[in-house]
Amino acid sequence: MADYENIVILTGAGISAESGLDTFRDKGGIWEKYDLMELATPEAFGRNPDLVHEFYNARRQQVKEVTANKAHHALVQLERHHPGKVTLITQNVDPLHEEAGSKNLLHMHGELNKARCTYCGAVHIWRDDLSQADICPSCGQTGNLRPHIVWFGEIPFHMPEIEDCLKECDLFISIGTSGSVYPAAGFALTARTAGAETVELNLEPSDGENLFTTKHYGKATKVVPEYISILLRGGIEESGQDI
Ligand code: NAD
């Protein structure tokens, strides 16, 4: 292993694409089929909770049919075998990182398989359909459960912890994200400013391409296992060199 102590990884929808989950912005992605402002904002939920539940119920059913892929598993190997600290931050709301076995994992945009009570604040595992008729197992109130998802206009989870991790990391790896949603899109710059090497593994150059010193473009199931295997063998790569 090269001289990296603290590794921080940021993943986005691209790492789950080959498991069969749509990304947001790619051609044919989720947002071509649905109107974002009718679904993923607190105002949309206030206006039409049934429609928002319908959308997330469909996503929750979909994740039951897919499994983690080689890229998710490669990150588990890194966490298990790296002698230092590995922190995995995901923008994904699917459960594939934890299903693969990742432990030090922060879901900054929430989790599909959880529901939160807007009355008492309790968060519960929720793998099946959610509706306005459901009762909060903690407070017994009806009609206050919502998907435990960070919607547009809401503050992502775990931000203080994430900021601390970025400031102390010496290797930052961005995987399968377009770099178009803030604050996640700013993480590479924070890490770089703190002196970290920055790596992009994506299908194509992201919006923040210039922030990365090392880049590998291709499908996540190919480039992620290859890069992690080099890292675990202690390889140090030249910037931009193909794997
Ligand atoms: P995005 O759709 O904006 O970008 C996806 C990126 O992945 C693109 O840059 C694309 O080139 C790349 N990509 C596509 N297929 C790939 C593959 N096979 N291998 C490697 N890279 C591939 O998604 P994002 O950057 O994560 O950002 C936006 C939001 O999308 C996040 O807030 C996240 O919560 C949400 N989202 C999550 C899921 C999920 O949980 N699986 C799915 C869709 C969207």
Side-chain angles (χ1 to χ4, degrees):
M1 174 69 67
D3 292 336
Y4 301 121
E5 177 59 27
N6 292 312
I7 300 176
V8 174
I9 301 157
L10 171 69
T11 62
I15 197 167
S16 297
E18 290 164 82
S19 291
L21 297 177
D22 283 342
T23 61
F24 273 8
R25 284 172 189 75
D26 291 312
K27 213 170 158 35
I30 295 170
W31 299 120
E32 274 191 6
K33 297 173 202 158
Y34 298 92
D35 180 354
L36 162 75
M37 299 319 280
E38 292 302 322
L39 288 167
T41 67
E43 293 76 18
F45 188 61
R47 266 194 312 270
N48 193 347
D50 292 341
L51 179 71
V52 175
H53 279 313
E54 184 183 296
F55 173 75
Y56 285 103
N57 288 343
R59 306 266 78 75
R60 221 172 279 116
Q61 286 307 316
Q62 195 184 21
V63 298
K64 287 183 183 172
E65 289 156 19
V66 302
T67 52
N69 64 47
K70 286 181 184 169
H72 298 101
H73 287 291
L75 297 184
V76 177
Q77 291 310 310
L78 179 66
E79 185 180 17
R80 283 189 188 151
H81 299 295
H82 175 52
K85 183 178 170 193
V86 176
T87 306
L88 178 53
I89 304 164
T90 188
Q91 298 169 85
N92 294 345
V93 296
D94 69 56
L96 298 183
H97 282 305
E98 52 270 41
E99 281 179 19
S102 285
K103 301 283 182 227
N104 193 18
L105 170 66
L106 300 171
H107 271 281
M108 67 177 289
H109 289 166
E111 295 172 66
L112 261 181
N113 284 340
K114 288 185 179 168
R116 183 169 81 247
C117 179
T118 56
Y119 184 76
C120 74
V123 175
H124 293 278
I125 301 285
W126 209 280
R127 297 188 198 280
D128 294 313
D129 286 359
L130 184 60
S131 81
Q132 289 300 90
D134 282 309
I135 299 168
C136 172
S138 295
C139 68
Q141 296 271 338
T142 305
N144 293 309
L145 290 170
R146 57 163 278 181
H148 189 50
I149 300 282
V150 176
W151 285 325
F152 288 92
E154 297 184 320
I155 298 168
F157 299 138
H158 311 296
M159 284 311 294
E161 188 179 351
I162 289 173
E163 289 292 330
D164 288 347
C165 286
L166 291 170
K167 283 181 193 146
E168 66 180 25
C169 88
D170 39 29
L171 177 63
F172 174 82
I173 310 170
S174 171
I175 302 172
T177 174
S178 60
S180 50
V181 176
Y182 280 85
F187 291 175
L189 181 59
T190 306
R192 215 179 144 152
T193 306
E197 168 150 3
T198 52
V199 178
E200 171 160 85
L201 308 177
N202 203 36
L203 196 57
E204 61 199 6
S206 69
D207 293 350
E209 179 202 359
N210 294 338
L211 294 168
F212 298 96
T213 45
T214 301
K215 313 161 199 197
H216 297 293
Y217 298 116
K219 290 189 168 183
T221 56
K222 180 173 189 293
V223 294
V224 176
E226 287 176 355
Y227 179 79
I228 297 301
S229 138
I230 290 170
L231 200 55
L232 284 171
R233 286 202 309 265
I236 301 172
E237 300 173 82
E238 294 295 316
S239 224
Q241 179 194 325
D242 280 339
I243 294 174

